[in-house]
Amino acid sequence: MSIRNLIAISALAAASASTSWAQVSVMSDGEVRKVDRAQGKITLKHGEIKNLEMSPMTMVFRVTDPALLDRVKEGDKIGFSADKIGGQYTVTGIEMKK
């Protein structure tokens, strides 16, 4: 294998690793205000969402998986990950807080 090929493979591996790291979701804190299972939506009062450059507020999100809504109820304190998918703010993961 030539030096040129090794350099190209190393650069590709580094780019792949940085892409994987960028795709890791950051958790934000929130409180469930409303769960709308029929529409696949959740209303959250949330802190800053850094990856979306969003200030704290209360808003409605879609969810990627409706099963996420079965794990929560109004008043629950959660950690959640969100992203903008198809132009809509969407919760991609939820973890319960104590």
Side-chain angles (χ1 to χ4, degrees), residues 25 27-28 44 63-65 68 71 78-82 90-95:
S25 295
M27 296 298 265
S28 300
L44 298 174
V63 293
T64 54
D65 180 1
L68 292 172
R71 301 172 45 198
I78 63 169
F80 69 99
S81 54
T90 306
V91 170
T92 58
I94 294 175
E95 66 181 32

Side-chain angles (χ1 to χ4, degrees), residues 40-42 61-69 81-85 88-94:
K41 296 179 181 180
I42 186 168
F61 293 86
R62 292 190 168 277
V63 293
T64 54
D65 180 1
L68 292 172
L69 300 178
S81 54
D83 211 341
K84 196 166 187 179
I85 300 173
Q88 299 195 8
Y89 293 111
T90 306
V91 170
T92 58
I94 294 175

Side-chain angles (χ1 to χ4, degrees), residues 32-46:
V32 178
R33 296 298 191 161
K34 182 178 177 184
V35 178
D36 185 345
R37 287 177 180 79
Q39 296 293 317
K41 296 179 181 180
I42 186 168
T43 303
L44 298 174
K45 177 180 179 184
H46 62 79

Side-chain angles (χ1 to χ4, degrees), residues 7-77:
I7 292 170
I9 290 170
S10 295
L12 184 59
S16 177
S18 65
T19 299
S20 296
W21 178 253
Q23 292 172 347
V24 173
S25 295
V26 176
M27 296 298 265
S28 300
D29 292 325
E31 180 180 335
V32 178
R33 296 298 191 161
K34 182 178 177 184
V35 178
D36 185 345
R37 287 177 180 79
Q39 296 293 317
K41 296 179 181 180
I42 186 168
T43 303
L44 298 174
K45 177 180 179 184
H46 62 79
E48 179 183 13
I49 304 176
K50 292 182 181 186
N51 64 305
L52 296 175
E53 299 179 359
M54 186 180 293
S55 300
M57 66 179 80
T58 300
M59 64 179 286
V60 178
F61 293 86
R62 292 190 168 277
V63 293
T64 54
D65 180 1
L68 292 172
L69 300 178
D70 294 333
R71 301 172 45 198
V72 297
K73 64 184 181 315
E74 288 181 22
D76 283 347
K77 306 280 189 210

